[in-house]
Each structure stands twice: as C-alpha cells, then as structure tokens.
C-alpha cells in the first residue's frame, strides 16, 4: 500500500507533501516516514495518508453526483505550482467525497488553476516531535576516509560536526 507523506518544518507551518512510502499499515507508514522524510531536514511533525483515500480535483473537472452520508472533516491540499508539491491549505466539512471536492473547489481555488487533494481527516496518521526525535541532518562520520592525506578528511569531519551542532541547536538540544 502506498502512503503519501506530508512534512511540517516548524510548528505552525502548513504540512507540505514530500513524497510517499510503501507500507502495509498506518503504523509502519509512520515509522518509514520518520526514517525516510524526518531525518534530514528540520521537522516538527509528519502526516501519512493512504494514497487510495486521497481524491484529486481541479478547476473544470466534472464531479460525480453527491454520495451523501454523515458529515465528516476533510483536509485540503493545494498544488503549489504546475507539477509542484501539494501544501495543506485548510479543512472543511462534507458528507462525502463529491461534496468535499466541490467545497474544496469553491473555497480554495479562486483564480488559482492548480489541483487540489482532499482526504478525510480521520485517515491521516500523525507523528510529532513528542513521539520521536526527528533528525535535522545525517551524521556522516561513517564516510570519513582513512588515508595518509588527512587534510580532506579533517575538513569533512569539521563540516559534519558543524552540521550536527546546527541541527542540535534547531532541535533545541543545545
């Protein structure tokens, strides 16, 4: 099963789509998301949503008739630019996917021709900094070459240590 991953860089920021992971269930998807998308860049939270539960809609698209049901919360993501990533832009309440698509178009498009994704909020799994210790950069010390010419290796060690210190500062560990 494919899970789309959304990353929040700083608390209060919108979640931005950052690719996907393959996992059999939500818990594994959250773990894989942390490993693949939460270790290199500053991250405060990740969302995962099953790709099959994300509905795509764009201005001018025909929307199937309303399907009814109980009103639920939906999260909406707007594409940044043609071919770009989708960024969280808000929530709405709707009784089904068709109504959610129409409400998203009415609420979040204006003159913006880019596509929208809508997903029922209950399908989104969240991982926060309270759950895991996100990285910020990867420790590259395993790559240090053992050589007679120590200057390049020393420069790489110094650069990596600086990156680690900066990442720890951003995470508030220093």
């Amino acid at each position: 099963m494919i899970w789309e991953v959304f990353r929040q860089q700083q608390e209060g920021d919108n979640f931005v789509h950052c690719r996907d992971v393959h996992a059999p269930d939500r818990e594994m998807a959250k773990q894989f998301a942390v490993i693949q998308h939460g270790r290199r860049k500053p991250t405060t939270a990740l969302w995962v949503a099953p790709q099959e539960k994300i509905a795509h809609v764009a201005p001018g698209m025909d929307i199937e008739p309303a399907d009814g049901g109980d009103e639920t919360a939906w999260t909406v993501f707007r594409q940044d630019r043609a071919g770009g990533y989708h960024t969280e832009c808000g929530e709405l309440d709707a009784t089904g996917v068709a109504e959610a698509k129409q409400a998203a178009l009415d609420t979040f498009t204006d003159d913006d021709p880019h596509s929208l994704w809508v997903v029922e909020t209950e399908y989104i799994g969240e991982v926060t900094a309270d759950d895991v210790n996100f990285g910020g950069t990867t420790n590259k010390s395993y790559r240090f070459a053992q050589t007679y010419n120590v200057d390049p290796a020393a420069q790489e060690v110094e650069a990596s240590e600086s990156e680690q210190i900066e990442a720890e500062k951003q995470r508030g560990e220093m």
Side-chain angles (χ1 to χ4, degrees), residues 47-66:
W47 283 352
V48 297
Q51 188 180 64
E52 65 191 27
K53 296 294 184 183
I54 296 174
H56 170 260
V57 64
M61 273 180 83
D62 288 332
I63 298 175
E64 60 276 0

Side-chain angles (χ1 to χ4, degrees), residues 67-80:
D67 38 11
D70 294 332
E71 190 167 84
T72 58
W74 294 75
T75 302
V76 182
F77 299 88
R78 180 180 325 147
Q79 191 175 30
D80 297 333

Side-chain angles (χ1 to χ4, degrees), residues 80-149:
D80 297 333
R81 60 190 187 288
Y85 289 111
H86 285 74
T87 300
E88 170 199 14
C89 60
E91 288 191 354
L92 53 86
D93 292 324
T95 59
V97 68
E99 186 178 315
K101 286 179 175 183
Q102 188 61 56
L105 285 173
D106 295 344
T107 307
F108 298 106
T109 53
D110 297 326
D111 295 327
D112 184 1
H114 298 123
S115 72
L116 300 169
W117 285 351
V118 294
V119 61
E120 207 168 340
T121 305
E122 74 177 76
Y123 291 115
I124 296 174
E126 182 174 37
V127 182
T128 67
D130 294 336
D131 302 322
V132 298
N133 187 14
F134 291 110
T137 134
T138 305
N139 183 342
K140 300 176 192 142
S141 62
Y142 66 90
R143 296 187 330 179
F144 299 150
Q146 301 299 318
T147 177
Y148 291 111
N149 184 0

